[in-house]
Amino acid sequence: MFIFIPIQQRKGFRLSYDVFLKLYLFWMLTCAIRGAFIASDYWQYKALIQNSFALTAGLCVWSFAQPEILNKVLRYWLLLALPLFIPLLFILYKGSSYGFYLSPVVIFILMLPALPRPLALLMLCLTVFCLFADIGARSTLIRFSVPLLLLVTYPLRQFIPKSLLKVAFLFCFITPILLAAFAATNGLNPFTAVSQAIAEEIDDAETRDVVTTDTRTGLYEEVVESAIKNDYVLIGRTPARGYDSKDFGIGISKIIGTTTIERSSCEVGILNIFTWTGVIGVVLYTLVFATASYLAVVHSNSWMTRTIGLYLAFRWTYSWIEEFNRFDIMQLSLWMLVAICMSPAFRAMSDADLKEWGAKLSPRIKWNR
């Protein structure tokens, strides 16, 4: 369905500087086609289909970038999906599952000043719920805390220079690259350093263990070693294949009965992009997010759109720590943010215009008489 949505865009509608997005999607499709020739069993074909859908979710950007379409999508989510969250509370896995299901709430929080008061209060309540439902769900805490921090800047927007936003933008995109370079050349492990710093501030031993456990160093080591060993650093192993993993792959191979010790994906988004599409894919993915974020931060008339650009930069940074690459509501919510940033229509809106757009978000049920 989403493959054909871009064709249905409004006549005359165009994205801004979408060349990198087109190149990224072209490379993702190329890797998927390569994967169709490489896959050799049921599990590899299954991985190919699942991972290819996740990689090409960016096709939705052309539709989501149109304010009227995104408004309709979010309105239907409020009307149909959100009420289902109450019965699902009894079967969803505590903590992280809440954050996954309620991913669109982040978009509403970033646009909170533009929402009608009842809807704004509901979004705040859902955010607080996600923050305190499970302290061990670290990613949920981070993903929902950062929008709240950005929201605090709205009343202070007259006193914050645009140059400071540019510095924050550059910080988000430069920091992971520098840390990765230091780790590769000097053996500096940023995950260990951060864990130790946080541990010193937490008194409770059980909470300290949950929050500060380093679960990423081993993933980076296995993914990079697998790429070098199997010679797919530049172009990737395609979405049909994963990385060689002693920690997980051996157990997975025993369960599904394969001879390989591969894990088709991991919790770190940028590592999945690297495994499936290589350095080329990582560079194109970065250029898409950097372009979208820059357009929103520097070339937007609304402060809310600028903070969405900053949050998008943060999400790219956070993909070096955790970002599941699956075709699900969280992934689509992320591409909604990309669409808002790349949309000339959204960036042309003032805060007053966004309030008019936000007023239409409250779902209305029309009964046939």
Side-chain angles (χ1 to χ4, degrees):
M1 177 181 69
F2 288 103
I3 293 177
F4 298 101
I5 283 179
I7 302 175
Q8 302 171 2
Q9 62 188 9
R10 188 178 71 249
K11 185 178 180 180
F13 178 83
R14 293 289 185 273
L15 284 181
S16 298
Y17 303 98
D18 60 352
V19 61
F20 293 128
L21 178 60
K22 291 177 179 177
L23 288 173
Y24 165 78
L25 291 170
F26 173 77
W27 181 245
M28 298 303 109
L29 290 170
T30 300
C31 291
I33 293 171
R34 286 174 46 227
F37 291 96
I38 291 175
S40 59
D41 58 33
Y42 165 80
W43 296 104
Q44 291 183 6
Y45 279 108
K46 181 180 179 180
L48 173 65
I49 294 171
Q50 291 178 332
N51 298 335
S52 296
F53 267 100
L55 290 175
T56 55
L59 284 167
C60 303
V61 168
W62 279 272
S63 292
F64 292 151
Q66 300 174 72
E68 62 275 15
I69 292 181
L70 182 59
N71 193 289
K72 184 181 293 187
V73 171
L74 293 175
R75 195 162 65 246
Y76 274 106
W77 182 82
L78 286 169
L79 180 63
L80 302 175
L82 188 56
L84 288 175
F85 181 65
I86 297 175
L88 288 175
L89 274 174
F90 298 99
I91 59 175
L92 286 174
Y93 176 75
K94 182 182 178 182
S96 60
S97 296
Y98 303 157
F100 273 101
Y101 192 91
L102 296 175
S103 295
V105 171
V106 167
I107 301 174
F108 288 100
I109 291 296
L110 290 166
M111 291 189 169
L112 201 72
L115 302 182
R117 183 170 296 180
L119 183 57
L121 290 174
L122 174 61
M123 293 300 113
L124 282 174
C125 290
L126 290 173
T127 300
V128 172
F129 171 78
C130 288
L131 290 176
F132 294 98
D134 184 0
I135 191 66
R138 295 178 295 184
S139 290
T140 299
L141 284 170
I142 294 171
R143 287 194 186 98
F144 281 80
S145 295
V146 173
L148 287 178
L149 293 175
L150 291 172
L151 182 64
V152 173
T153 67
Y154 185 78
L156 306 173
R157 60 191 183 280
Q158 301 295 335
F159 307 101
I160 302 176
K162 187 180 290 187
S163 58
L164 186 59
L165 300 183
K166 293 179 181 178
V167 170
F169 161 82
L170 289 172
F171 177 81
C172 287
F173 280 96
I174 291 176
T175 301
I177 297 174
L178 290 179
L179 290 177
F182 284 137
T185 57
N186 301 321
L188 173 67
N189 188 335
F191 299 113
T192 301
V194 172
S195 296
Q196 291 175 350
I198 296 175
E200 294 176 357
E201 303 298 326
I202 300 177
D203 296 327
D204 182 69
E206 183 176 352
T207 303
R208 182 170 58 247
D209 290 340
V210 171
V211 174
T212 63
T213 300
D214 176 14
T215 59
R216 296 297 179 259
T217 300
L219 292 179
Y220 271 86
E221 291 174 348
E222 287 194 333
V223 167
V224 173
E225 288 174 1
S226 176
I228 295 173
K229 177 183 176 181
N230 297 285
D231 194 23
Y232 59 83
V233 173
L234 184 62
I235 62 174
R237 212 174 191 179
T238 81
R241 302 289 298 274
Y243 66 96
D244 296 345
S245 172
K246 294 180 181 178
D247 292 339
F248 299 95
I250 295 176
I252 293 173
S253 65
K254 290 181 180 179
I255 294 173
I256 65 178
T258 59
T259 57
T260 62
I261 57 168
E262 293 179 21
R263 191 185 184 201
S264 62
S265 65
C266 68
E267 298 83 357
V268 181
I270 208 73
L271 292 183
N272 290 327
I273 301 292
F274 172 70
T275 296
W276 300 332
T277 65
V279 171
I280 294 176
V282 171
V283 171
L284 291 173
Y285 183 78
T286 299
L287 289 173
V288 170
F289 277 71
T291 300
S293 177
Y294 179 81
L295 286 171
V297 169
V298 179
H299 299 288
S300 295
N301 290 326
S302 168
W303 185 264
M304 285 177 275
T305 310
R306 293 172 190 167
T307 56
I308 288 175
L310 280 183
Y311 182 71
L312 187 64
F314 157 75
R315 286 292 291 268
W316 178 85
T317 301
Y318 196 61
S319 70
W320 291 71
I321 302 173
E322 176 170 325
E323 194 74 63
F324 288 91
N325 297 90
R326 296 186 294 224
F327 190 77
D328 56 18
I329 186 62
M330 177 171 284
Q331 191 72 197
L332 290 176
S333 297
L334 181 61
W335 286 106
M336 287 179 189
L337 295 172
V338 174
I340 291 172
C341 293
M342 296 188 72
S343 168
F346 271 111
R347 295 199 318 276
M349 290 183 181
S350 63
D351 288 336
D353 294 329
L354 277 176
K355 288 181 180 179
E356 291 184 13
W357 180 84
K360 301 176 184 177
L361 282 172
S362 297
R364 297 174 177 85
I365 302 175
K366 296 182 180 179
W367 302 100
N368 293 324
R369 295 182 178 180

